[in-house]
Amino acid sequence: IINVAPTGSFTSRQQNSLQPYTMEENVKAAVEACKAGASVWHAHAREADGLPSKDPAVMKETIARVFDKCPDIVTSVIPYADYDKQGMEQIKPMVDTLAAAGPRYMQTAVLLIMSTTFSEKFTYVITERHLRETVEYLEKNGVRPEYQVHAYSGLKDVQDWLIDKGVAKDPPLMNLMMGFHGFSHATPLGPDPWNYIMMMNLMQSIPPGCVRGVCAGGRNWLPFTTLAIMLGFDMVRVGMEDSVYVHPHRDEKLKTS
């Protein structure tokens, strides 16, 4: 399964002048990736000036425009909207808006499973109660959670808090975050081969019966993705959200997702 992330919240045109900013550019990139073979679209939205948007209405319009050209693409949405709240309340505005638009608009939602601070504004507090209530709310609205795994401790929490207690429905969707994502280093910067050994170790720790994915970013996205396919992961995520360069060893920048 190829999952494409054409744009995100952090990569800027200062890093890559071809980074999609406007809604039109974001939609065009998603449609091109769909036509090239991506079956899942990890959807972010941006405002007219290119700044990341957490406005559910902007997300809804972005998705609707992609559906005009790619009606069968699976939507994997970033659900966080209200940063004055935590837990289920943080995602509720996005889930309610997209669920009301129809089940296609939010088929899966990526979830952080460990407390994370990207900046003063973008802060996520994850407790057992927060995570349980968030997952229950998503499932109630027909949305499958995608658990974003940066480290073994988060993976173990999902096992103990959600899978073993029957909160997570089968099959759980488990994504290993490799390399650089946003402002977070999910793996060591170097030296090789420890980055790749870490991914193989985490793969062995994923509970049986899960759908296993790899979302790789940073300079090593291509080797991570290639290794994930060789190891038999079910899904890989690619695109310009988390990656600027094509290769680890050359300064050739990505032109498309």
Side-chain angles (χ1 to χ4, degrees):
I1 300 170
I2 304 298
N3 182 337
V4 66
T7 191
S9 298
F10 301 106
T11 304
S12 70
R13 283 188 176 158
Q14 283 69 42
Q15 296 166 287
N16 186 339
S17 62
L18 297 176
Q19 173 70 209
Y21 261 24
T22 67
M23 185 182 296
E24 289 74 16
E25 292 167 344
N26 192 4
V27 169
K28 181 174 181 287
V31 170
E32 287 177 348
C34 172
K35 292 181 177 179
S39 56
V40 181
W41 167 39
H42 177 53
H44 281 262
R46 294 209 186 222
E47 300 289 354
D49 58 4
L51 290 175
S53 176
K54 303 302 179 185
D55 184 343
V58 175
M59 180 68 82
K60 177 184 172 183
E61 183 180 352
T62 304
I63 294 172
R65 291 191 185 189
V66 172
F67 279 157
D68 286 342
K69 302 290 185 181
C70 299
D72 296 326
I73 198 162
V74 175
T75 49
S76 166
V77 179
I78 182 78
Y80 301 101
D82 189 344
Y83 285 86
D84 292 325
K85 298 183 174 67
Q86 296 293 338
M88 183 266 288
E89 294 296 328
Q90 195 174 34
I91 70 165
K92 191 175 185 298
M94 188 70 74
V95 175
D96 290 353
T97 298
L98 297 184
R104 294 188 304 155
Y105 277 75
M106 195 179 204
Q107 290 162 281
T108 72
V110 296
L111 287 186
L112 295 170
I113 59 174
M114 300 170 64
S115 295
T116 304
T117 299
F118 291 122
S119 67
E120 290 293 331
K121 178 180 180 181
F122 297 116
T123 297
Y124 309 84
V125 176
I126 309 298
T127 66
E128 180 176 0
R129 178 178 63 83
H130 282 155
L131 195 55
R132 184 188 69 251
E133 290 177 352
T134 299
V135 169
E136 289 174 341
Y137 193 73
L138 287 171
E139 297 280 16
K140 173 185 172 184
N141 283 276
V143 181
R144 297 304 320 282
E146 292 183 63
Y147 305 105
Q148 308 294 87
V149 181
H150 287 81
Y152 173 75
S153 54
L155 187 60
K156 188 68 166 62
D157 286 343
V158 172
Q159 172 92 54
D160 294 345
W161 297 348
L162 303 175
I163 296 176
D164 289 350
K165 293 183 179 180
V167 176
K169 292 186 178 179
D170 289 331
L173 312 180
M174 205 74 70
N175 296 330
L176 301 186
M177 309 303 290
M178 295 289 109
F180 186 68
H181 179 81
F183 294 125
S184 174
H185 292 281
T187 53
L189 294 178
D192 295 341
W194 305 114
N195 290 306
Y196 310 109
I197 291 173
M198 179 177 178
M199 183 170 80
M200 290 186 280
N201 285 339
L202 283 174
M203 181 184 184
Q204 300 305 314
S205 301
I206 295 175
C210 292
V211 176
R212 303 173 302 177
V214 167
C215 303
R219 277 278 191 170
N220 288 339
W221 76 270
L222 185 55
F224 273 127
T225 301
T226 303
L227 179 60
I229 293 170
M230 294 170 63
L231 289 171
F233 278 88
D234 303 298
M235 186 279 294
V236 291
R237 196 174 87 189
V238 299
M240 295 174 71
E241 175 182 350
D242 301 309
S243 303
V244 174
Y245 297 97
V246 179
H247 304 286
H249 57 291
R250 293 205 302 266
D251 288 342
E252 176 188 354
K253 292 187 177 182
L254 290 163
K255 294 180 174 62
T256 69
S257 288

